[in-house]
């Protein structure tokens, strides 16, 4: 995975690739879930080709506020996207040759860590076209000359695109389900906590009321004697 490690250095930060780091595979779809500690910033990179397409979607699954800062930088270091304290986002850019860097920043939080899910979708990376050309060479000169090769390729690409879209939707639904489950568990714990607090307050108030009523009757008995 193209993970860049961010090392805090006073008020500055040094961005270095770890030894043996590799970029995301050139497949159409890659997803990753990681924990971003409080006060930290994590960056990743993805090599891209010219005239390709990079789509990135992210969600904050858990953590106070469910928010994070997001940056997407071009190979020239230009800021293409900046989201400030967002819980999710979807961004698509047409790419050029070079390494694209995207960062998740939680430095504004001093206590709460965040669990972040993101997915990369790469289009027009060049490999599918090469495979199609190889197939055409294999078919040429055989008994399948009457086949409509272009129609077959179009059908295969359509099925492949729909399968990829289905896998993407399933991945996003799992991410939504994880975030909703975390919110529900947090609400459940909060309701239980305040219910116990209210119960404790009621018990204390009841005990005080009983003591005060008892003390009033005791004072009347003493005054009669």
């Amino acid at each position: 995975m193209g993970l860049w490690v961010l090392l805090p250095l006073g008020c500055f930060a040094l961005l270095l690739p770890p030894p043996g780091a590799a970029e995301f595979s050139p497949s159409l779809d890659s997803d990753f879930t990681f924990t971003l500690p409080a006060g930290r910033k994590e960056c990743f990179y993805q090599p891209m080709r010219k005239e390709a397409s990079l789509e990135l979607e992210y969600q904050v699954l858990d953590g106070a506020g469910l928010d994070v800062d997001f940056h997407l930088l071009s190979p020239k270091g230009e800021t293409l996207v900046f989201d400030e304290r967002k819980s999710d986002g979807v961004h698509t850019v047409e790419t050029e040759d070079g390494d694209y860097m995207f960062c998740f920043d939680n430095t504004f939080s001093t206590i709460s860590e965040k669990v972040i899910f993101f997915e990369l979708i790469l289009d027009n990376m060049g490999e599918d076209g090469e495979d199609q050309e190889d197939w055409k060479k294999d078919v040429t000169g055989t008994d399948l000359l009457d086949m409509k090769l272009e129609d077959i390729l179009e059908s295969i690409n359509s099925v492949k695109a729909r399968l990829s879209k289905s896998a993407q939707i399933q991945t996003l639904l799992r991410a939504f389900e994880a975030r909703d489950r975390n919110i529900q568990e947090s609400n459940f714990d909060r309701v239980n906590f305040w219910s116990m607090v209210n119960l404790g307050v009621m018990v204390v108030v009841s005990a005080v009321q009983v003591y005060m009523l008892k003390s009033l009757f005791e004072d009347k008995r003493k005054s009669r004697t």
Side-chain angles (χ1 to χ4, degrees):
M1 298 181 301
L3 174 62
W4 290 81
V5 179
L6 192 74
L7 302 176
L9 191 63
C11 296
F12 300 93
L14 178 62
L15 193 63
L16 294 174
E23 68 276 5
F24 286 99
S25 62
S27 61
L28 290 177
D29 195 344
S30 299
D31 59 84
F32 187 46
T33 302
F34 70 102
T35 299
L36 181 60
R40 292 287 301 276
K41 178 180 178 181
E42 295 289 347
C43 294
F44 303 81
Y45 79 103
Q46 173 62 48
M48 296 297 296
R49 298 182 179 181
K50 187 177 181 181
E51 297 181 353
S53 175
L54 169 63
E55 180 179 345
L56 190 149
E57 178 165 354
Y58 69 90
Q59 295 181 35
V60 182
L61 302 181
D62 194 14
L66 293 177
D67 55 357
V68 73
D69 290 345
F70 173 77
H71 305 259
L72 176 61
L73 284 75
S74 70
K76 299 178 181 178
E78 300 173 348
T79 299
L80 301 178
V81 176
F82 173 62
D83 291 341
E84 185 175 4
R85 305 193 68 167
K86 295 289 187 65
S87 60
D88 56 69
V90 182
H91 303 287
T92 304
V93 295
E94 300 299 323
T95 63
E96 58 187 21
D97 290 330
D99 297 336
Y100 283 76
M101 182 185 302
F102 53 98
C103 302
F104 298 93
D105 190 350
N106 194 31
T107 55
F108 59 84
S109 178
T110 58
I111 299 177
S112 175
E113 64 181 18
K114 307 293 172 63
V115 178
I116 298 175
F117 163 85
F118 68 86
E119 182 179 22
L120 290 176
I121 302 174
L122 313 179
D123 290 327
N124 301 325
M125 293 298 288
E127 293 189 353
D128 292 340
E130 295 175 1
D131 294 339
Q132 293 176 4
E133 292 297 328
D134 293 338
W135 187 19
K136 290 180 180 179
K137 293 178 182 178
D138 294 336
V139 173
T140 302
T142 66
D143 296 332
L144 304 178
L145 296 178
D146 295 333
M147 294 178 60
K148 295 182 179 181
L149 185 58
E150 296 298 331
D151 294 340
I152 296 176
L153 290 176
E154 183 178 354
S155 299
I156 292 176
N157 289 334
S158 176
V159 172
K160 183 178 180 181
R162 292 180 181 179
L163 289 175
S164 299
K165 190 65 177 179
S166 299
Q168 177 191 359
I169 293 174
Q170 291 177 352
T171 301
L172 294 179
L173 289 177
R174 286 196 298 269
F176 279 122
E177 188 272 336
R179 184 174 68 176
D180 293 341
R181 184 176 64 252
N182 290 330
I183 294 175
Q184 290 176 355
E185 291 176 353
S186 177
N187 292 337
F188 178 75
D189 294 337
R190 189 178 294 109
V191 169
N192 284 340
F193 172 76
W194 286 110
S195 297
M196 295 301 297
V197 170
N198 290 333
L199 179 61
V201 171
M202 291 174 64
V203 171
V204 171
V205 171
S206 299
V208 171
Q209 289 178 345
V210 170
Y211 173 77
M212 293 182 66
L213 290 173
K214 185 177 179 181
S215 63
L216 290 175
F217 286 107
E218 288 180 352
D219 291 338
K220 290 181 177 180
R221 289 173 184 176
K222 291 180 181 179
S223 62
R224 289 178 181 179
T225 60

